[in-house]
């Protein structure tokens, strides 16, 4: 932020379209001097002349007392695309200094305008979170995800931390006409804007979004107006699933009728316990079969897509099947896919997967030579706000999904299976075992299969103390090195 005096007017050049800190510094000093709004010109970028006396700290900005609520809300309002926003906020600031209760006067035209701008930015922020669609480019090491989005307001900087939290384990870039956000797995960088042609075209990942969208679409609840309000047409052209909307709206009545006919009677909550004790007979999606006849991993994977053996398929995006060569000598078994695995359809690609990869690298064990899978193949979670929080699978779900794990192991016939954590061990051994006490041990099952026990990588992610974490990392690394040695034996 630079400020300069020019012909009895103050010109403030801000660093960016949503440079709140720059605006705030300048506005506080100008307001402390009671400089009228009409004498200040605000712009983005550009250069200013020599600093004015307002910059010499002669009037410490602390002299100005402004309600915290205004400051917090102004930080949102400044993201609005209205070119007058800086001047408007400055006018509000001057008024608030004179009338500290201004924000409580709901009928005041400035307050109403402030609220409308704030609401619009919030809505745009929410839309960006809901409608950014990443497209995968590159493969393996170079793999990254790129999305194109056209926000109404200057919200990229404000929204980027959300995407970092949501997609920590992926490398991604979001391009917009005015700015871009790039996450390389460790560092967030905000860069210049781009054009739509900089974003990659359609790819395989789009099919996944369409599948997901179709699976969450409930025609019986369809309210076209509300749907269009939530997903305004403006966003449709960047959404892979948008191609399905008109067809689904058109067929909604039939689809709703069919759906109601097929709908099971929802059991009372306590039935879950009864169900867990007397798990119902397998009920595969008939179109795909139950995998009993599968002679290859590919056939088995295909069958698992229609798995209905336990209720977890209902809320999950898709079955996350194992991955790796059919002749792998070692199979790693985790607990269940997490949030990112559920979206990507691949095991161990999120934060725990990244840690797992790093330790395998350190142990010089090539993941591509191993088969990696989970005891439970659907993501189990609790929705909390917009987040999906991992929830541990219960004994019934573990035992229902063992059908697939047993078949994977029967087809691969590995020399060693590594149970990553308690759920995997329970599935592989048919009973709960104390992992922390037994880690590093190899247990031979009645059928001769050798099971190596160790902790789950997400256990390391949850350790808050850096020294403890480093120590556990070493222990996990030692376990993986032991696995490598057993493979070589
Ligand atoms: N945790 C698991 O157990 N499996 C995954 O695939 C990811 C996280």
């Amino acid at each position: 932020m630079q400020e300069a005096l020019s012909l009895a007017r103050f010109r403030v050049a801000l660093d960016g379209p949503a440079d709140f800190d720059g605006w705030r510094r300048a506005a506080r000093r100008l307001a402390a001097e009671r400089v009228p709004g009409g004498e200040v010109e605000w712009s983005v970028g550009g250069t200013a002349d020599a600093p004015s006396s307002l910059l010499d700290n002669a009037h410490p900005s602390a002299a100005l007392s402004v309600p915290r609520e205004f400051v917090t809300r102004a930080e949102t309002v400044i993201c609005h695309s209205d070119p007058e926003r800086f001047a408007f906020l400055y006018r509000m600031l001057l008024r608030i200094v004179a009338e500290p209760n201004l924000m409580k006067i709901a009928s005041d035209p400035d307050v109403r305008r402030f609220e409308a701008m704030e609401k619009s930015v919030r809505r745009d922020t929410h839309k960006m979170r809901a409608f950014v669609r990443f497209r995968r480019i590159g493969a393996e090491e170079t793999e990254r995800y790129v999305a194109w989005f056209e926000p109404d307001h200057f919200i990229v900087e404000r929204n980027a931390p959300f995407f970092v939290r949501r997609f920590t384990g992926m490398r991604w870039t979001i391009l917009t006409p005015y700015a871009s956000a790039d996450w390389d797995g460790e560092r967030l960088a905000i860069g210049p804007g781009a054009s739509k042609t900089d974003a990659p075209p359609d790819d395989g990942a789009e099919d996944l979004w369409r599948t997901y969208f179709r699976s969450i679409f409930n025609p019986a609840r369809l309210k076209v107006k509300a749907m269009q309000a939530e997903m305004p047409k403006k966003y449709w052209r960047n959404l892979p699933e948008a191609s399905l909307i008109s067809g689904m709206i058109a067929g909604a009545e039939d689809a709703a009728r069919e759906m109601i006919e097929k709908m099971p009677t929802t059991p009372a909550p306590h039935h879950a316990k009864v169900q867990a004790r007397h798990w119902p007979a397998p009920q595969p999606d008939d179109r795909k079969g139950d995998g009993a006849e599968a002679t290859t991993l590919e056939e088995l994977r295909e069958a698992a897509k229609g798995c209905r053996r336990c209720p977890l398929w209902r809320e999950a995006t898709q079955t996350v099947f194992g991955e790796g060569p059919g002749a792998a000598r070692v199979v790693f078994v985790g607990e269940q896919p997490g949030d990112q695995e559920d979206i990507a359809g691949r095991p161990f690609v999120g934060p725990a997967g990244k840690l797992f990869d790093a330790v395998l690298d350190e142990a010089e064990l090539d993941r591509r030579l191993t088969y990696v899978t989970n005891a439970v193949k659907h993501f189990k979670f609790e929705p909390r706000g917009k987040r999906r929080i991992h929830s541990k699978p219960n004994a019934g779900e573990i035992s229902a999904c063992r059908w697939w794990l047993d078949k994977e192991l029967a087809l691969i016939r590995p020399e060693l299976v590594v149970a990553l954590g308690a759920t995997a061990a329970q599935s592989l051994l048919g009973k709960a075992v104390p992992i922390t006490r037994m880690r590093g041990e190899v247990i031979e099952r009645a059928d001769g299969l050798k099971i190596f026990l160790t902790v789950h990588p997400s256990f390391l992610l949850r350790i808050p103390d850096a020294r403890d974490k480093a120590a556990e990392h070493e222990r996990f690394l030692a376990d993986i090195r032991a696995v490598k040695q057993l493979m070589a034996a």
Side-chain angles (χ1 to χ4, degrees), residues 320 334-338 341 346-350 352-353 373-374 420 456 458:
V320 179
E335 182 193 67
Q336 61 160 344
E341 287 81 10
R346 297 176 51 209
F348 282 100
V349 294
T373 190
N374 282 301
L420 297 166
H456 192 284
S458 66

Side-chain angles (χ1 to χ4, degrees), residues 130-136 146-149 196 200-214 231 233-248:
F131 298 135
V132 154
R133 293 290 180 268
F134 288 104
R135 296 175 157 106
R136 185 168 49 216
V146 180
W148 168 252
F149 187 74
K196 189 172 179 187
D202 212 338
D203 76 352
E206 310 264 291
D207 286 343
L208 177 62
W209 280 109
R210 277 189 276 263
T211 310
Y212 171 71
F213 185 72
R214 237 195 241 109
M231 193 196 266
K233 281 201 160 144
K234 134 175 191 191
Y235 298 106
W236 287 20
R237 66 200 137 116
N238 294 322
L239 299 179
E241 67 269 34
S243 61
L244 302 171
I245 295 174
S246 51
M248 288 196 299

Side-chain angles (χ1 to χ4, degrees), residues 2 119 185 230 245 303 331 349 414:
Q2 293 175 319
K119 198 165 157 198
E230 274 306 307
I245 295 174
V331 171
V349 294

Side-chain angles (χ1 to χ4, degrees), residues 100-160:
N101 283 328
L102 175 66
M103 295 306 286
K104 297 202 172 72
I105 309 173
S107 58
D108 183 278
D110 276 347
V111 173
R112 282 170 57 185
R113 179 174 169 194
F114 184 91
E115 281 174 357
M117 288 169 83
E118 183 188 28
K119 198 165 157 198
S120 180
V121 172
R122 282 193 191 290
R123 185 174 154 81
D124 201 31
T125 303
H126 166 75
K127 295 289 174 218
M128 181 169 171
R129 292 176 184 188
F131 298 135
V132 154
R133 293 290 180 268
F134 288 104
R135 296 175 157 106
R136 185 168 49 216
I137 55 173
E140 312 230 322
E141 249 93 280
T142 64
E143 177 182 271
R144 64 182 308 116
Y145 291 80
V146 180
W148 168 252
F149 187 74
E150 293 170 41
D152 287 336
H153 304 298
F154 302 109
I155 53 168
V156 171
E157 295 90 331
R158 168 190 171 81
N159 239 347

